[in-house]
């Protein structure tokens, strides 16, 4: 495994629509493992292949809903494990009526965060790392991260959707993806 370099704006690959993955070979497995390692190293909660300069429909996501719930932290309690997702050729097939506002940042747009409205819950059809079809139901921040990553695969960045972007204060710790 190896770390990959995360590309930032104005790298053109970030604006391209990524191509579907068709070969589930050894090179793909290496790329997936490298992306997981790169996401964890950043650290980030998600990473899409175009962010490592590969225009293919693949993203990795790792997040625990506990990360934002500092108030609920109980001493001695075991934190909820993070859940790792690998999604390939994803398609959003269902969305909630409810939308929620939240603050996002992006590893490919350093030094900017912004308010983005997202569906509170979504259903996604995708392939797993072995090419097997999967259907995922996600909500909350996980659903937000999924929408952010799937946008990356279409060349869309959060700053396109945000009505307000700003430079974060030091106290504003936003999970990046
Ligand atoms: Ni991003």
């Amino acid at each position: 495994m190896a770390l990959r370099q995360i590309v930032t704006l104005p790298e053109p690959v970030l604006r391209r629509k990524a191509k579907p993955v068709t070969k589930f070979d050894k090179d793909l497995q290496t790329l997936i493992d490298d992306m997981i390692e790169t996401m964890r190293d950043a650290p980030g909660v998600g990473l899409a292949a175009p962010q490592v300069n590969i225009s293919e429909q693949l993203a990795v996501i790792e997040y625990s809903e506990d990360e934002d719930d500092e108030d609920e932290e109980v001493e001695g309690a075991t934190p909820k494990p993070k859940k790792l997702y690998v999604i390939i050729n994803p398609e959003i097939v269902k969305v909630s009526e409810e939308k929620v506002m939240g603050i996002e940042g992006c590893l490919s747009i350093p030094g900017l965060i912004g308010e983005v409205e997202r569906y509170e819950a979504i259903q996604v059809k995708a392939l797993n790392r072995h090419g097997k079809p999967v259907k995922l139901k996600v909500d909350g921040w996980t659903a937000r991260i999924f929408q952010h990553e799937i946008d990356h695969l279409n060349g869309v960045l959060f700053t396109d959707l945000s009505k307000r972007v700003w430079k974060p204060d030091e106290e504003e710790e936003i999970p990046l993806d």
Side-chain angles (χ1 to χ4, degrees):
M1 291 207 285
L3 292 177
R4 305 263 177 147
Q5 201 199 332
I6 296 176
V7 299
T8 56
L9 275 183
E11 192 65 48
V13 69
L14 293 168
R15 288 307 195 176
R16 232 175 274 150
K17 188 171 165 59
K19 288 205 180 74
V21 173
T22 53
K23 274 194 286 183
F24 292 80
D25 55 7
K26 225 177 126 194
D27 285 349
L28 181 73
Q29 303 308 318
T30 304
L31 171 62
I32 291 168
D33 289 334
D34 287 355
M35 283 175 59
I36 292 168
E37 195 182 344
T38 304
M39 168 181 66
R40 288 176 176 165
D41 178 74
V45 294
L47 191 67
Q51 294 182 276
V52 293
N53 214 359
I54 294 187
S55 196
E56 291 184 20
Q57 290 194 31
L58 158 66
V60 296
I61 291 153
E62 189 172 51
Y63 186 70
S64 159
E65 290 290 338
D66 274 1
E67 278 179 36
D68 278 334
D69 288 343
E70 275 175 47
D71 304 343
E72 287 177 27
E73 248 174 50
V74 180
E75 217 171 308
T78 319
K80 261 191 226 153
K82 289 185 186 186
K83 211 160 168 197
L84 175 68
Y85 299 91
V86 176
I87 52 169
I88 295 171
N89 304 345
E91 195 191 326
I92 296 176
V93 290
K94 211 170 166 186
V95 298
S96 59
E97 256 175 56
E98 193 192 346
K99 287 181 170 184
V100 282
M101 202 59 107
I103 299 173
E104 294 184 18
C106 180
L107 292 167
S108 295
I109 314 176
L112 272 189
I113 58 174
E115 257 181 348
V116 186
E117 193 176 51
R118 300 282 190 190
Y119 295 108
E120 202 279 326
I122 56 169
Q123 276 184 36
V124 175
K125 253 176 28 182
L127 301 175
N128 72 9
R129 63 184 298 162
H130 307 296
K132 189 173 158 266
V134 289
K135 204 167 181 182
L136 302 161
K137 281 187 190 180
V138 288
D139 60 15
W141 267 93
T142 306
R144 174 173 296 276
I145 300 164
F146 267 71
Q147 289 167 82
H148 180 115
E149 297 315 324
I150 292 169
D151 277 350
H152 268 302
L153 305 181
N154 290 302
V156 174
L157 301 169
F158 83 88
T159 43
D160 302 336
L161 311 172
S162 187
K163 291 198 181 80
R164 199 165 69 91
V165 296
W166 65 94
K167 290 191 173 128
D169 294 340
E170 271 168 42
E171 303 102 68
E172 277 181 294
E173 268 191 46
I174 306 300
L176 301 175
D177 48 3

